[in-house]
Amino acid sequence: MGLSELKFLAVEDHEFQRGMLLKMLARLGATQVSTAADGYAALEIVMSPGASIDIIISDLDMPGMDGLEFMRHVGEARIPVSIILASALESVLLDSVETMTRAYGVKILGVIQKPITSEKLAALIKLHLPAQANPNLTQTDALSFTIEEIVQGIRNDEFEPFFQPKVELASRRIKGAEALARWRHPQKGIVAPYAFVGPLEDHNQIDKLTWLILSKSVDFCCEWRTKSELDVSVSVNVSAKSLADVNFADRVTELVKCKSLDCRNIILEVTESAATTDIGHSLENLSRLRMKGFGLSIDDYGTGYSSLQQLARIAFTEIKLDQSFIKSATTQQAARIILESSIDMAKKLGIVTVAEGIEIEKDWDLLRELGCDLAQGYFIARPMEHSAYHEWVLNWNRLVSPS
Ligand code: C2E
Ligand code: MG
Ligand code: MG
């Protein structure tokens, strides 16, 4: 897709600067550009039916609704748009605005410290294009399902885990895979968790998905180990709600043991906040799971509130450094320092570190340099269905250790 096919919205209160921005966009080949002088006008444009703006370039400091509030509304309305922020603010402040924007669930391409130049603009617009193509997934931003439809889909056995490899940074060897739930919808194609995990949790039905994904993952893990003697583990995401059931750990143990699989081959990923709700039952489950030998991983590490407390309280075996830090680490000093110290701390505690969202070689190189243990991300492979994953591992192993 060329620039002439993209729809831009330039939000800038300063008339002269707005004019300059329009000229730059035109020079780069953009032909569909709308403008707004503040957040209110901008929001009206993006929310209008049929607007389908692809990229918003927005100033931060504007009278009326400023750029910060505008980002919040864009995030809350889940408008599928890419954002470039521009401001004359100092760079540390811009870093936190970028982090805030991501926290609102907005897809941000980057921040430009003014003055804007065509080069800076072109470099960020480029980032919009590859992100669009994800052949494995249906665009789920626009999809929504009722809880009845989702539960019926589970009953019809339309859900399955896709697998994304976790690779050791130092040796490039595969250590395991994360199981990520997918709905093979008869009409809509492959649907990502975004469309069903939240509703299932809200309606206390998430257990249905947890058990389905766990039991299919255990089956596939056994199959790979016996068929091809692959020494791989599988990580499964466990919702906070499932941990509230005091029998959870025993049920998982039974499931794994009856397939004669070693508990060490299953890692349960819990988000930081998950371990803190219904604290008694969660802690009992987590402690019992550790006692039985399961791996325990803190997912999205760094986004919760009490990281260190969690680590001290439960013997976690792994932390997954959140994608937002990886995305920012090559450009933001603060994110890099957080990564560095998290990895350092994990090493001292004997905990495995996994970097999520490794998208480009630069991310891989940086995390390797920082001493992170494992990497997961599109740079290595996207999540794929079980048979494709099996093939992928065999090929990868041939490449990494040619006989
Ligand atoms: P998560 O556990 O943090 O999983 C990582 C997410 O990052 C996955 O999204 C994965 O596809 C995506 N990802 C991996 N590499 C990259 C990369 O290089 N760049 C980018 N931009 N993204 C990457 P996915 O599959 O859409 O899953 C989203 C979330 O849904 C998961 O986040 C997890 O919290 C939840 N989820 C997935 N499967 C299950 C499940 O079976 N049960 C529960 N309770 N939650 C699940
Ligand atoms: Mg996970
Ligand atoms: Mg994660």
Side-chain angles (χ1 to χ4, degrees):
M1 189 188 268
L3 251 66
S4 62
E5 290 163 64
L6 294 176
K7 286 190 182 171
F8 290 88
L9 170 61
V11 192
E12 168 65 67
D13 61 310
H14 202 285
E15 200 177 333
F16 175 75
Q17 293 191 14
R18 198 162 62 231
M20 291 295 288
L21 184 54
L22 286 180
K23 275 191 196 143
M24 270 181 244
L25 283 169
R27 223 176 294 136
L28 292 172
T31 54
Q32 307 178 70
V33 187
S34 316
T35 58
D38 72 1
Y40 291 111
L43 206 55
E44 206 168 297
I45 295 175
V46 286
M47 302 280 264
S48 61
S52 48
I53 302 286
D54 297 294
I55 300 179
I56 299 174
I57 301 152
S58 178
D59 187 19
L60 283 177
D61 194 8
M62 299 178 285
M65 186 194 292
D66 65 16
L68 302 179
E69 189 182 345
F70 178 46
M71 288 305 105
R72 166 155 51 84
H73 291 300
V74 169
E76 282 170 357
R78 295 187 181 278
I79 299 167
V81 65
S82 295
I83 305 277
I84 296 173
L85 292 173
S87 172
L89 289 174
E90 54 183 310
S91 66
V92 189
L93 209 51
L94 290 182
D95 287 351
S96 22
V97 172
E98 184 171 347
T99 308
M100 175 216 82
T101 307
R102 286 217 168 88
Y104 281 139
V106 174
K107 190 173 115 200
I108 181 159
L109 300 177
V111 180
I112 296 177
Q113 193 165 29
K114 285 184 178 179
I116 304 178
T117 64
S118 305
E119 290 74 30
K120 289 182 197 171
L121 206 51
L124 291 183
I125 291 172
K126 236 193 206 164
L127 298 177
H128 172 78
L129 302 170
Q132 288 181 321
N134 184 352
N136 275 333
L137 283 185
T138 302
Q139 175 54 267
T140 49
D141 284 339
L143 290 181
S144 77
F145 300 94
T146 63
I147 187 67
E148 289 77 20
E149 288 170 323
I150 299 169
V151 170
Q152 189 57 47
I154 293 179
R155 275 199 208 109
N156 296 348
D157 197 23
E158 291 165 4
F159 285 74
E160 67 190 58
F162 269 35
F163 294 93
Q164 187 180 33
K166 284 160 67 185
V167 172
E168 193 167 53
L169 277 145
S171 66
R172 293 177 173 258
R173 286 183 187 284
I174 299 164
K175 289 293 168 181
E178 178 172 7
L180 293 156
R182 296 290 183 264
W183 184 359
R184 202 178 280 280
H185 194 282
Q187 280 88 40
K188 312 274 186 200
I190 303 293
V191 176
Y194 170 80
F196 52 84
V197 168
L200 283 168
E201 284 182 334
D202 294 346
H203 291 85
N204 287 322
Q205 305 278 342
I206 192 69
D207 269 353
K208 292 189 169 69
L209 184 76
T210 308
W211 290 108
L212 187 155
I213 297 297
L214 248 172
S215 101
K216 289 194 181 186
S217 298
V218 166
D219 287 349
F220 290 134
C221 190
C222 290
E223 185 187 313
W224 301 325
R225 297 182 75 86
T226 45
K227 236 193 205 168
S228 313
E229 293 178 7
L230 295 177
D231 184 18
V232 286
S233 63
V234 173
S235 304
V236 177
N237 291 284
V238 175
S239 162
K241 303 254 175 171
S242 302
L243 284 176
D245 170 7
V246 79
N247 298 315
F248 180 79
D250 287 334
R251 286 181 65 196
V252 181
T253 310
E254 205 180 296
L255 178 81
V256 171
K257 290 240 162 102
C258 84
K259 300 282 169 162
S260 308
L261 188 68
D262 194 318
C263 298
R264 255 171 281 278
N265 295 313
I266 299 294
I267 299 170
L268 301 165
E269 294 192 4
V270 190
T271 49
E272 278 187 89
S273 56
T276 52
T277 54
D278 214 329
I279 195 80
H281 286 177
S282 297
L283 288 178
E284 185 177 336
N285 273 317
L286 292 169
S287 308
R288 187 166 296 127
L289 287 164
R290 270 306 291 136
M291 256 173 9
K292 303 282 180 198
F294 286 94
L296 285 185
S297 175
I298 303 187
D299 208 347
D300 306 335
Y301 183 81
T303 58
Y305 296 101
S306 51
S307 328
L308 292 166
Q309 223 183 328
Q310 294 302 333
L311 283 175
R313 220 187 265 147
I314 307 157
F316 278 96
T317 55
E318 177 186 279
I319 57 173
K320 295 192 90 171
L321 302 160
D322 190 61
Q323 307 198 8
S324 57
F325 295 112
I326 314 295
K327 281 200 176 66
S328 316
T330 47
T331 53
Q332 291 185 9
Q333 209 200 358
R336 194 191 153 116
I337 292 171
I338 292 171
L339 278 184
E340 235 166 26
S341 43
S342 304
I343 292 169
D344 192 41
M345 178 208 61
K347 273 200 192 318
K348 287 181 180 142
L349 290 169
I351 292 172
V352 175
T353 43
V354 185
E356 284 192 308
I358 298 285
E359 285 192 349
I360 51 174
E361 196 169 0
K362 229 171 155 183
D363 299 338
W364 172 285
D365 291 344
L366 175 67
L367 269 299
R368 196 185 155 153
E369 193 188 306
L370 294 179
C372 182
D373 299 310
L374 309 181
Q376 182 183 339
Y378 297 167
F379 178 61
I380 302 146
R382 283 177 184 267
M384 51 198 132
E385 60 180 300
H386 71 96
S387 52
Y389 174 72
H390 188 186
E391 279 296 303
W392 187 92
V393 177
L394 296 175
N395 277 329
W396 179 276
N397 283 348
R398 257 177 241 131
L399 289 173
V400 172
S401 48
S403 47

